[in-house]
Amino acid sequence: MGFVGHLSRRIARLTILMPVILALAVLLAVNVTAPRAEALDAEETAILDTINSYRGQHGLGPLALDPRLNDIARWMADDMASNNYFSHTDSHGRDPFTRMDQLGYALNTWRGENLVAGTETSAAAFEMWRTSDGHNANMLGANYTVIGIARAHNPGSTFGWYWATEFGGQGLSVQPPVQPTPEPAPYIPPPPPVTVPPQPVAPVAPAPVVTVAPPPAPTIEVTAAPVNAPWWHILALDIQWRDSSSTTGRSLAALIDGVFSFQSSFRGNLVSTVR
C-alpha cells in the first residue's frame, strides 16, 4: 500500500506540472520560429518604394515585404556593422544561401542578396545598386516576388552605414492554392446502335439490244446464151454474171458484134470489087 500511495502522489505532481511544461514548450517554439517583423524606418520604406517603382518602369510586378527575409536582412546588416566588415560571407563564414537556409528561408526557389555600405540615404544606396550590373539584375529579377530590407549604423566602423536586401521567389505566408479534385464526369451510356433496314435495290434495266438486219444478198441475174451464140456473147454473159451492176458485158458484146458486122460488109464489098 505504501508503494501505491507514493506512486499516486508522483502522478498527481506530474499532472499539475504538465500544463506548465506544455506552455513552456510552446513559448520556446514561438521564440525560435516566429519572425521579429520589425517595422521599416523611413529610409528603408523609401528604398522599397523606389525599387518597386523601378520594376514597374520595366514592366515587372512589385516585391512584397516578407517578414522572414526582412529578419535575415536585419541580421546581416547588424552583423556587418557590429563586426566591421563588408562582404557577402558573414562572420560565421556562411554565404547568402547557407545563411538564408539556417535563418529560416530554406525554400527551393530563386534567391539573391544586395549589399551596400558607406551611405545613409536610400537614394544613394539605390543609385549604387542601379549602376552595378549584378545588383541591378537582382532588383529587376523577374523571378523575384518578395524582399527583405534593413540598414544598420555603427559610428565606430569603417563605413558607418550598412545596407542589406534579400530577394526571394516565394513568400512564406503565401501558400499555393489547393487545386480542387475534379468530380468525375457523369456516366453517359452510349446511344443504342442504329439499325438501318436494307434498302430495296432497284432493278437495272437491261441495255436495249440493237438488231441489225443484214443487207440483202445481191440478186444475180443470169442470162443464158443461146446454144449457137458466138463466143464473145458467152464472154459478155460471164462478165455480167460476175458483176451484175456493170454494163461492161453488154457493151463488150455490142462492140464485138459491130466489129464483125463491119468485117463482113467490108469483105463482101471487097469481093464485089475484085470481081
Side-chain angles (χ1 to χ4, degrees):
M1 294 295 293
F3 174 76
V4 174
H6 179 70
L7 182 60
S8 299
R9 286 191 299 272
R10 291 181 64 87
I11 293 175
R13 289 178 183 176
L14 289 175
T15 303
I16 294 172
L17 292 175
M18 187 61 68
V20 178
I21 295 172
L22 291 176
L24 180 60
V26 171
L27 288 174
L28 289 174
V30 170
N31 289 334
V32 170
T33 61
R36 290 181 297 171
E38 294 182 9
L40 302 183
D41 64 22
E43 289 297 321
E44 292 167 348
T45 301
I47 202 167
L48 173 63
D49 295 339
T50 302
I51 290 174
N52 281 337
S53 176
Y54 184 51
R55 288 173 62 87
Q57 295 170 14
H58 291 79
L60 300 170
L63 301 177
L65 194 65
D66 185 88
R68 194 64 55 91
L69 288 179
N70 214 55
D71 276 352
I72 296 172
R74 183 76 58 197
W75 186 95
M76 185 58 182
D78 289 342
D79 192 58
M80 289 189 294
S82 300
N83 293 285
N84 194 21
Y85 73 92
F86 180 65
S87 171
H88 284 287
T89 302
D90 63 26
S91 60
H92 297 280
R94 300 174 299 189
D95 60 42
F97 309 111
T98 303
R99 182 167 56 253
M100 287 182 183
D101 289 341
Q102 294 181 358
L103 295 182
Y105 194 79
L107 298 180
N108 184 20
T109 186
W110 294 88
R111 298 184 292 182
E113 180 180 80
N114 279 0
L115 304 177
V116 68
T119 177
E120 179 182 0
T121 65
S122 61
F126 171 78
E127 191 62 22
M128 290 181 182
W129 286 334
R130 189 188 67 81
T131 56
S132 170
D133 292 340
H135 298 88
N136 189 62
N138 273 345
M139 292 193 297
L140 296 179
N143 295 305
Y144 294 137
T145 60
V146 289
I147 191 173
I149 300 172
R151 67 176 183 156
H153 181 233
N154 181 3
S157 63
T158 302
F159 298 105
W161 286 94
Y162 298 84
W163 289 77
T165 52
E166 312 295 332
F167 299 88
Q170 180 181 339
L172 293 178
S173 59
V174 179
Q175 299 295 330
V178 178
Q179 299 295 331
T181 302
E183 297 181 1
Y187 173 74
I188 301 176
V194 179
T195 303
V196 180
Q199 300 294 326
V201 180
V204 180
V209 178
V210 180
T211 303
V212 180
T219 303
I220 302 174
E221 182 180 354
V222 179
T223 304
V227 177
N228 296 322
W231 60 269
W232 58 87
H233 281 202
I234 295 174
L235 176 61
L237 288 176
D238 180 63
I239 292 174
Q240 185 178 357
W241 177 80
R242 294 180 182 274
D243 187 2
S244 60
S245 61
S246 175
T247 59
T248 305
R250 292 189 295 271
S251 299
L252 179 59
L255 176 61
I256 297 175
D257 282 340
V259 170
F260 276 97
S261 175
F262 173 77
Q263 184 180 3
S264 299
S265 172
F266 176 76
R267 185 180 295 174
N269 292 334
L270 181 60
V271 172
S272 298
T273 302
V274 171
R275 285 179 186 174

